[in-house]
């Protein structure tokens, strides 16, 4: 049985997909991140230029 994602979860995954497509198109994680967020991109140590993001998405379970 597949779980049905909440709208905000689907939106988050869509935003991540859009970001990764822009990284590929631009060849720059930094530029794509700034374009999407208007915030500076900080490369993860030892990542070797691989795009690194952390998504914090509530599960929607109602508990905090």
């Amino acid at each position: 049985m597949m779980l049905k994602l909440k709208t905000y979860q689907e939106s988050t995954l869509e935003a991540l997909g859009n970001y990764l497509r822009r990284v590929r198109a631009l060849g720059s994680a930094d530029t794509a991140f700034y374009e999407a967020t208007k915030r500076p991109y900080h490369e993860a140590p030892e990542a070797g230029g691989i795009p690194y993001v952390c998504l914090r998405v509530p599960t929607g379970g109602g508990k905090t």
Side-chain angles (χ1 to χ4, degrees):
M1 180 172 101
M2 295 280 292
L3 282 177
K4 174 71 174 129
L5 296 177
K6 308 271 189 220
T7 302
Y8 65 88
Q9 293 167 326
E10 289 176 348
S11 297
T12 300
L13 292 175
E14 183 178 339
L16 176 60
N18 290 339
Y19 165 70
L20 293 173
R21 281 187 284 281
R22 290 300 292 158
V23 169
R24 187 181 313 154
L26 297 170
S28 170
D30 184 342
T31 304
F33 186 83
Y34 185 79
E35 189 179 88
T37 66
K38 303 300 185 243
R39 292 179 166 183
Y41 177 81
H42 302 284
E43 189 169 309
E46 308 296 326
I50 296 171
Y52 174 85
V53 295
C54 176
L55 298 176
R56 294 181 182 167
V57 182
T59 61
K63 296 177 185 171
T64 54

